[in-house]
Amino acid sequence: MGVRVGYLIASLAIVSGVAGCASNPYSEPRAAWRGEVEAACLASGEVRPSAFVQPMSPLGGRGSCGLEHPFKVSAALNGRVAVTPPAVIGCPMTASVDRWLARSVQPAAAAYFRSRVVEIREIASYGCRTRNNHGVAMSEHAFGNALDVAAFRLADGREISVVRDWWRGGPAERAFLAAAFAGACAEFYTVLGPGSDPYHSNHFHLDLLRTNARNGRHFCQPTPYGGGGIAELPGGDAVGAVAKTPLSFVGTGRETY
């Protein structure tokens, strides 16, 4: 009897261990598409090493974390917009941040402040972790495929803060953040900001999780035109006119990243 009980306990321990591995997100292999999009970005020449975009050694970590060709990005748009502190991200994110700043952020700064953004403050880039540090799925931060932006500094010294100005800023501050957020929803595959969940009350989370780009739609929460926190935009202004038109990139659900 004692031997049989011992075998039963040992068997249960093995089963429990296997189940634990199966539910451990760190044990999953890195998806093949990650290396494919990284290689395609590098081959395109859209991101080139410079004093502001410095190649790093491959990053690895616990389980599937890491990327083969990380960059330490201290400034975007060829040095015109500082990234503080420098971000560790991959080639696709580096290229997308440049496009977002050029196509959405800088036009919004010109429209609402007659100025330009000279710095973005980031609070998270590469980090080997799960979503919100306790989720059951890996965060895109674990692959250098995400950036959390908390504030923008203008050439005249003003700072536009997500946590302060999204809800309580003046009309110009709120309109600027709305336009920047809407532009991010067009560029990135996942965009989360204040109102999406408690974890994103003080920043914009931006990432390029490929499975969130389906049928021309991106996962964007809150939807850019859902009311609270979105200032009325001047219809005669080009940026405002675009920002008031609902985009097709609308996501639903409560997933966090």
Side-chain angles (χ1 to χ4, degrees), residues 74-93:
S74 58
L77 294 181
N78 198 29
R80 295 191 296 276
V81 179
V83 178
T84 308
V88 177
I89 50 180
C91 181
M93 277 299 296

PDB file of all heavy atoms in Angstrom, residues 74-93:
ATOM      1  N   SER A  74      18.375  56.675 -28.792  1.00  0.00           N
ATOM      2  CA  SER A  74      18.417  57.862 -27.930  1.00  0.00           C
ATOM      3  C   SER A  74      17.721  59.052 -28.569  1.00  0.00           C
ATOM      4  O   SER A  74      17.474  60.063 -27.905  1.00  0.00           O
ATOM      5  CB  SER A  74      19.862  58.233 -27.593  1.00  0.00           C
ATOM      6  OG  SER A  74      20.605  58.479 -28.775  1.00  0.00           O
ATOM      7  N   ALA A  75      17.412  58.937 -29.863  1.00  0.00           N
ATOM      8  CA  ALA A  75      16.672  60.000 -30.553  1.00  0.00           C
ATOM      9  C   ALA A  75      16.037  59.428 -31.804  1.00  0.00           C
ATOM     10  O   ALA A  75      16.557  58.486 -32.416  1.00  0.00           O
ATOM     11  CB  ALA A  75      17.583  61.168 -30.909  1.00  0.00           C
ATOM     12  N   ALA A  76      14.893  59.998 -32.176  1.00  0.00           N
ATOM     13  CA  ALA A  76      14.172  59.598 -33.381  1.00  0.00           C
ATOM     14  C   ALA A  76      14.299  60.696 -34.431  1.00  0.00           C
ATOM     15  O   ALA A  76      14.810  61.787 -34.162  1.00  0.00           O
ATOM     16  CB  ALA A  76      12.708  59.335 -33.053  1.00  0.00           C
ATOM     17  N   LEU A  77      13.810  60.398 -35.632  1.00  0.00           N
ATOM     18  CA  LEU A  77      13.842  61.358 -36.745  1.00  0.00           C
ATOM     19  C   LEU A  77      15.240  61.941 -36.944  1.00  0.00           C
ATOM     20  O   LEU A  77      15.437  63.151 -37.017  1.00  0.00           O
ATOM     21  CB  LEU A  77      12.812  62.476 -36.514  1.00  0.00           C
ATOM     22  CG  LEU A  77      11.345  62.058 -36.548  1.00  0.00           C
ATOM     23  CD1 LEU A  77      10.441  63.261 -36.333  1.00  0.00           C
ATOM     24  CD2 LEU A  77      11.002  61.364 -37.859  1.00  0.00           C
ATOM     25  N   ASN A  78      16.217  61.042 -36.995  1.00  0.00           N
ATOM     26  CA  ASN A  78      17.608  61.414 -37.252  1.00  0.00           C
ATOM     27  C   ASN A  78      18.124  62.435 -36.241  1.00  0.00           C
ATOM     28  O   ASN A  78      18.828  63.388 -36.586  1.00  0.00           O
ATOM     29  CB  ASN A  78      17.766  61.965 -38.677  1.00  0.00           C
ATOM     30  CG  ASN A  78      19.223  61.957 -39.131  1.00  0.00           C
ATOM     31  OD1 ASN A  78      20.018  61.115 -38.699  1.00  0.00           O
ATOM     32  ND2 ASN A  78      19.578  62.899 -39.988  1.00  0.00           N
ATOM     33  N   GLY A  79      17.745  62.246 -34.997  1.00  0.00           N
ATOM     34  CA  GLY A  79      18.264  63.083 -33.925  1.00  0.00           C
ATOM     35  C   GLY A  79      17.408  64.277 -33.562  1.00  0.00           C
ATOM     36  O   GLY A  79      17.727  64.994 -32.603  1.00  0.00           O
ATOM     37  N   ARG A  80      16.314  64.486 -34.280  1.00  0.00           N
ATOM     38  CA  ARG A  80      15.521  65.693 -34.033  1.00  0.00           C
ATOM     39  C   ARG A  80      14.595  65.576 -32.821  1.00  0.00           C
ATOM     40  O   ARG A  80      14.155  66.587 -32.283  1.00  0.00           O
ATOM     41  CB  ARG A  80      14.706  66.057 -35.283  1.00  0.00           C
ATOM     42  CG  ARG A  80      15.566  66.436 -36.473  1.00  0.00           C
ATOM     43  CD  ARG A  80      14.744  67.046 -37.586  1.00  0.00           C
ATOM     44  NE  ARG A  80      13.777  66.121 -38.156  1.00  0.00           N
ATOM     45  CZ  ARG A  80      14.054  65.227 -39.104  1.00  0.00           C
ATOM     46  NH1 ARG A  80      15.289  65.137 -39.579  1.00  0.00           N
ATOM     47  NH2 ARG A  80      13.104  64.448 -39.594  1.00  0.00           N
ATOM     48  N   VAL A  81      14.285  64.346 -32.413  1.00  0.00           N
ATOM     49  CA  VAL A  81      13.411  64.141 -31.258  1.00  0.00           C
ATOM     50  C   VAL A  81      14.111  63.193 -30.286  1.00  0.00           C
ATOM     51  O   VAL A  81      14.287  62.007 -30.580  1.00  0.00           O
ATOM     52  CB  VAL A  81      12.045  63.552 -31.672  1.00  0.00           C
ATOM     53  CG1 VAL A  81      11.171  63.316 -30.434  1.00  0.00           C
ATOM     54  CG2 VAL A  81      11.337  64.464 -32.659  1.00  0.00           C
ATOM     55  N   ALA A  82      14.539  63.717 -29.145  1.00  0.00           N
ATOM     56  CA  ALA A  82      15.218  62.895 -28.145  1.00  0.00           C
ATOM     57  C   ALA A  82      14.260  61.865 -27.566  1.00  0.00           C
ATOM     58  O   ALA A  82      13.059  62.115 -27.419  1.00  0.00           O
ATOM     59  CB  ALA A  82      15.778  63.772 -27.041  1.00  0.00           C
ATOM     60  N   VAL A  83      14.790  60.697 -27.242  1.00  0.00           N
ATOM     61  CA  VAL A  83      14.048  59.654 -26.556  1.00  0.00           C
ATOM     62  C   VAL A  83      14.694  59.471 -25.189  1.00  0.00           C
ATOM     63  O   VAL A  83      15.855  59.065 -25.096  1.00  0.00           O
ATOM     64  CB  VAL A  83      14.063  58.331 -27.338  1.00  0.00           C
ATOM     65  CG1 VAL A  83      13.316  57.236 -26.573  1.00  0.00           C
ATOM     66  CG2 VAL A  83      13.461  58.518 -28.730  1.00  0.00           C
ATOM     67  N   THR A  84      13.972  59.826 -24.131  1.00  0.00           N
ATOM     68  CA  THR A  84      14.533  59.844 -22.784  1.00  0.00           C
ATOM     69  C   THR A  84      13.719  58.948 -21.854  1.00  0.00           C
ATOM     70  O   THR A  84      12.498  59.113 -21.753  1.00  0.00           O
ATOM     71  CB  THR A  84      14.516  61.275 -22.212  1.00  0.00           C
ATOM     72  OG1 THR A  84      15.135  62.159 -23.147  1.00  0.00           O
ATOM     73  CG2 THR A  84      15.251  61.343 -20.897  1.00  0.00           C
ATOM     74  N   PRO A  85      14.382  58.018 -21.158  1.00  0.00           N
ATOM     75  CA  PRO A  85      15.746  57.562 -21.386  1.00  0.00           C
ATOM     76  C   PRO A  85      15.832  56.801 -22.701  1.00  0.00           C
ATOM     77  O   PRO A  85      14.789  56.465 -23.279  1.00  0.00           O
ATOM     78  CB  PRO A  85      16.007  56.644 -20.184  1.00  0.00           C
ATOM     79  CG  PRO A  85      14.651  56.116 -19.836  1.00  0.00           C
ATOM     80  CD  PRO A  85      13.703  57.253 -20.081  1.00  0.00           C
ATOM     81  N   PRO A  86      17.034  56.535 -23.213  1.00  0.00           N
ATOM     82  CA  PRO A  86      17.125  55.795 -24.466  1.00  0.00           C
ATOM     83  C   PRO A  86      16.358  54.477 -24.405  1.00  0.00           C
ATOM     84  O   PRO A  86      16.366  53.787 -23.379  1.00  0.00           O
ATOM     85  CB  PRO A  86      18.635  55.552 -24.609  1.00  0.00           C
ATOM     86  CG  PRO A  86      19.249  56.692 -23.868  1.00  0.00           C
ATOM     87  CD  PRO A  86      18.352  56.935 -22.688  1.00  0.00           C
ATOM     88  N   ALA A  87      15.676  54.156 -25.481  1.00  0.00           N
ATOM     89  CA  ALA A  87      14.845  52.952 -25.535  1.00  0.00           C
ATOM     90  C   ALA A  87      15.595  51.813 -26.193  1.00  0.00           C
ATOM     91  O   ALA A  87      16.362  52.024 -27.144  1.00  0.00           O
ATOM     92  CB  ALA A  87      13.564  53.236 -26.304  1.00  0.00           C
ATOM     93  N   VAL A  88      15.372  50.611 -25.720  1.00  0.00           N
ATOM     94  CA  VAL A  88      15.895  49.404 -26.362  1.00  0.00           C
ATOM     95  C   VAL A  88      14.726  48.735 -27.065  1.00  0.00           C
ATOM     96  O   VAL A  88      13.822  48.177 -26.427  1.00  0.00           O
ATOM     97  CB  VAL A  88      16.531  48.458 -25.334  1.00  0.00           C
ATOM     98  CG1 VAL A  88      16.996  47.167 -26.014  1.00  0.00           C
ATOM     99  CG2 VAL A  88      17.708  49.138 -24.632  1.00  0.00           C
ATOM    100  N   ILE A  89      14.726  48.828 -28.394  1.00  0.00           N
ATOM    101  CA  ILE A  89      13.632  48.299 -29.202  1.00  0.00           C
ATOM    102  C   ILE A  89      14.203  47.698 -30.484  1.00  0.00           C
ATOM    103  O   ILE A  89      15.374  47.904 -30.814  1.00  0.00           O
ATOM    104  CB  ILE A  89      12.580  49.383 -29.555  1.00  0.00           C
ATOM    105  CG1 ILE A  89      13.263  50.632 -30.133  1.00  0.00           C
ATOM    106  CG2 ILE A  89      11.746  49.747 -28.332  1.00  0.00           C
ATOM    107  CD1 ILE A  89      12.299  51.750 -30.514  1.00  0.00           C
ATOM    108  N   GLY A  90      13.373  46.980 -31.201  1.00  0.00           N
ATOM    109  CA  GLY A  90      13.791  46.363 -32.442  1.00  0.00           C
ATOM    110  C   GLY A  90      13.637  47.293 -33.630  1.00  0.00           C
ATOM    111  O   GLY A  90      13.111  48.401 -33.527  1.00  0.00           O
ATOM    112  N   CYS A  91      14.052  46.809 -34.783  1.00  0.00           N
ATOM    113  CA  CYS A  91      13.992  47.588 -36.012  1.00  0.00           C
ATOM    114  C   CYS A  91      12.561  48.001 -36.374  1.00  0.00           C
ATOM    115  O   CYS A  91      12.313  49.175 -36.675  1.00  0.00           O
ATOM    116  CB  CYS A  91      14.624  46.785 -37.150  1.00  0.00           C
ATOM    117  SG  CYS A  91      14.645  47.626 -38.761  1.00  0.00           S
ATOM    118  N   PRO A  92      11.571  47.093 -36.339  1.00  0.00           N
ATOM    119  CA  PRO A  92      10.220  47.507 -36.720  1.00  0.00           C
ATOM    120  C   PRO A  92       9.671  48.624 -35.834  1.00  0.00           C
ATOM    121  O   PRO A  92       9.051  49.575 -36.332  1.00  0.00           O
ATOM    122  CB  PRO A  92       9.407  46.217 -36.573  1.00  0.00           C
ATOM    123  CG  PRO A  92      10.398  45.127 -36.788  1.00  0.00           C
ATOM    124  CD  PRO A  92      11.649  45.622 -36.143  1.00  0.00           C
ATOM    125  N   MET A  93       9.883  48.546 -34.521  1.00  0.00           N
ATOM    126  CA  MET A  93       9.405  49.600 -33.635  1.00  0.00           C
ATOM    127  C   MET A  93      10.137  50.908 -33.885  1.00  0.00           C
ATOM    128  O   MET A  93       9.539  51.988 -33.852  1.00  0.00           O
ATOM    129  CB  MET A  93       9.564  49.185 -32.174  1.00  0.00           C
ATOM    130  CG  MET A  93       8.445  48.326 -31.640  1.00  0.00           C
ATOM    131  SD  MET A  93       6.799  49.111 -31.658  1.00  0.00           S
ATOM    132  CE  MET A  93       7.040  50.477 -30.515  1.00  0.00           C
TER     133      MET A  93
END
